[in-house]
Amino acid sequence: PVWFHESSYVKLLTSEALMKDPRLSITKIARDQSEQIHIKFLKWTLGLSNKASNMVCWGDTDRTPMAIRTIKQALDYAGRLELLNATAIQPKSLAVCAYREQVKMKLPWYNAVTGVRQALQQDTPHSHTSVAKSAMENMFRDVWKAALREYPKLSFYNTVKRDMSYEPYLDLLNHCEKRCIAKIRASNHRLNCETGRYLPSKNSSSYNSEKENMTWRKSCKVCCAPEAKDLAQLPFHIPIIEDEQHVLVTCPAYHHLRLDLRDDVKSLVVAWDAEELCHLFDEGNIRHFAKFVKKVLDVRFPKEEGAGSMDEEHSDSDTTDPRHHSIRNSSAS
């Protein structure tokens, strides 16, 4: 309770600003020191880089900010003090006197507790804090869902994700496959649609030319001949962008891998229906689809994105990687 009132989630909750600007609220929550540690842990577990979107970390693991757990502890603490003050056999005991003094001084932590109760419409000080925790988690899920639509970079993730929920791919034994799925979902890969967005420094001599060729930088170099770069400035020229859909569905470089797909999974991939794509990540399909995605990234990035020499030692039955159990075990605790 000493520091929880400084949490951005508490400030947003008590000021009723949580849903006014969902994306801004998400940004402020992620800046809390405790949440930064939490997010780093989730990204390490998923095998994502530090630049990956925090939205994917929360959404795929179904973990809410640490501040919510801290608020529950603070509410429990305040409830015990209030109960002790109301039923104290010795009204001049140290704990009771300290509590009365803190209330009288209107210390920030107690004001924050009062504000949280008002925001959650808890009429009595001894209301069940588990109910309050559930209410706060539901509020965050609503903010997360509203903010998700405001991230253009997560267009593929918006297609395959509807609500915050634990994803079956997190239970894959092979960490390389789990990492590849996480990278594809989070657009945290090195396909040209992602790397082409980044320009060299403005002080660089190639900055202007690279900026003019932004679209070309995102194109598939397998499907677009080098000579096509000269046509990039023409208004009618539309290069083939190397994005998730192109790599998984149409690029001829991976046609031999698509032939090995199971028929039901292949139909989902080839159709690429926005309403059906989420079924690729269902429990019955994810293992087969993850193997396919890993093979595609192995071909595209034999060293960077693929298993590589370090990861080949982890077979399908390998469970020695501590990241395999970390989310599930920590969620249970």
Side-chain angles (χ1 to χ4, degrees):
V2 175
W3 60 268
F4 98 102
H5 61 275
E6 300 177 358
S7 165
S8 296
Y9 189 90
V10 172
K11 295 177 181 178
L12 291 168
L13 183 63
T14 54
S15 63
E16 299 182 355
L18 200 59
M19 288 297 296
K20 289 182 179 179
D21 189 340
R23 182 166 181 173
L24 180 61
S25 298
I26 286 290
T27 302
K28 290 182 177 180
I29 291 171
R31 288 176 182 170
D32 285 342
Q33 186 175 3
S34 62
E35 194 56 29
Q36 288 179 5
I37 298 173
H38 183 214
I39 289 172
K40 284 184 178 180
F41 162 74
L42 294 179
K43 289 180 178 179
W44 171 80
T45 305
L46 296 175
L48 299 175
S49 71
N50 290 331
K51 292 184 179 180
S53 173
N54 301 331
M55 299 289 288
V56 178
C57 298
W58 286 317
D60 281 5
T61 61
D62 196 25
R63 290 176 65 93
T64 52
M66 296 299 294
I68 293 179
R69 301 185 184 186
T70 308
I71 294 171
K72 180 183 180 301
Q73 293 175 354
L75 293 175
D76 286 334
Y77 175 73
R80 289 195 298 270
L81 289 177
E82 290 165 346
L83 185 61
L84 181 64
N85 180 47
T87 61
I89 300 176
Q90 297 181 352
K92 294 185 179 181
S93 64
L94 179 60
V96 174
C97 291
Y99 167 72
R100 290 173 178 172
E101 182 179 6
Q102 292 174 21
V103 173
K104 185 177 181 180
M105 294 174 62
K106 296 182 179 180
L107 294 187
W109 78 266
Y110 188 78
N111 291 338
V113 166
T114 304
V116 168
R117 285 173 174 165
Q118 292 175 352
L120 298 176
Q121 298 180 348
Q122 283 193 315
D123 299 329
T124 60
H126 311 303
S127 299
H128 206 289
T129 54
S130 296
V131 178
K133 181 183 177 183
S134 298
M136 288 184 288
E137 289 176 342
N138 291 334
M139 287 181 181
F140 178 77
R141 288 187 173 91
D142 291 340
V143 174
W144 177 89
K145 189 172 183 178
L148 185 61
R149 297 187 290 268
E150 300 181 19
Y151 286 84
K153 179 183 174 182
L154 297 178
S155 58
F156 177 71
Y157 189 70
N158 267 290
T159 304
V160 299
K161 191 71 172 179
R162 299 290 186 269
D163 300 290
M164 281 185 64
S165 59
Y166 187 87
E167 289 293 330
Y169 79 85
L170 298 175
D171 292 328
L172 291 173
L173 297 182
N174 190 309
H175 179 67
C176 294
E177 295 174 358
K178 178 169 65 175
R179 182 185 64 183
C180 289
I181 291 294
K183 283 179 174 292
I184 284 290
R185 289 173 65 88
S187 296
N188 187 228
H189 43 64
R190 296 189 62 192
L191 298 179
N192 290 340
C193 67
E194 175 63 18
T195 58
R197 298 189 304 109
Y198 300 100
L199 295 172
S201 172
K202 289 186 177 181
N203 298 327
S204 174
S205 57
S206 61
Y207 175 79
N208 291 330
S209 60
E210 292 293 340
K211 186 176 181 180
E212 292 177 356
N213 295 322
M214 178 75 75
T215 305
W216 171 256
R217 287 164 55 87
K218 298 179 181 181
S219 65
C220 176
K221 302 306 182 283
V222 175
C223 301
C224 297
E227 295 79 8
K229 184 176 181 180
D230 299 331
L231 305 175
Q233 304 302 320
L234 297 178
F236 58 81
H237 178 70
I238 303 177
I240 301 175
I241 304 300
E242 186 188 44
D243 56 11
E244 296 87 357
Q245 179 179 359
H246 175 71
V247 169
L248 297 178
V249 181
T250 59
C251 188
Y254 318 105
H255 178 67
H256 64 290
L257 298 176
R258 293 186 204 101
L259 294 177
D260 296 333
L261 280 172
R262 207 172 62 201
D263 290 341
D264 55 340
V265 175
K266 185 189 298 184
S267 63
L268 289 172
V269 171
V270 174
W272 203 259
D273 185 349
E275 298 297 327
E276 300 294 333
L277 273 179
C278 58
H279 296 305
L280 286 171
F281 303 92
D282 289 348
E283 189 172 356
N285 298 329
I286 186 57
R287 182 177 176 83
H288 188 72
F289 182 63
K291 290 182 180 296
F292 166 68
V293 172
K294 179 180 178 297
K295 289 177 182 178
V296 169
L297 294 181
D298 280 346
V299 173
R300 179 63 177 87
F301 306 104
K303 293 183 180 180
E304 293 88 344
E305 297 288 352
S309 59
M310 181 178 67
D311 292 321
E312 286 176 353
E313 62 185 9
H314 297 295
S315 64
D316 290 355
S317 60
D318 183 16
T319 59
T320 58
D321 195 319
R323 285 176 281 196
H324 173 67
H325 298 289
S326 49
I327 291 182
R328 180 67 78 179
N329 290 350
S330 57
S331 297
S333 62

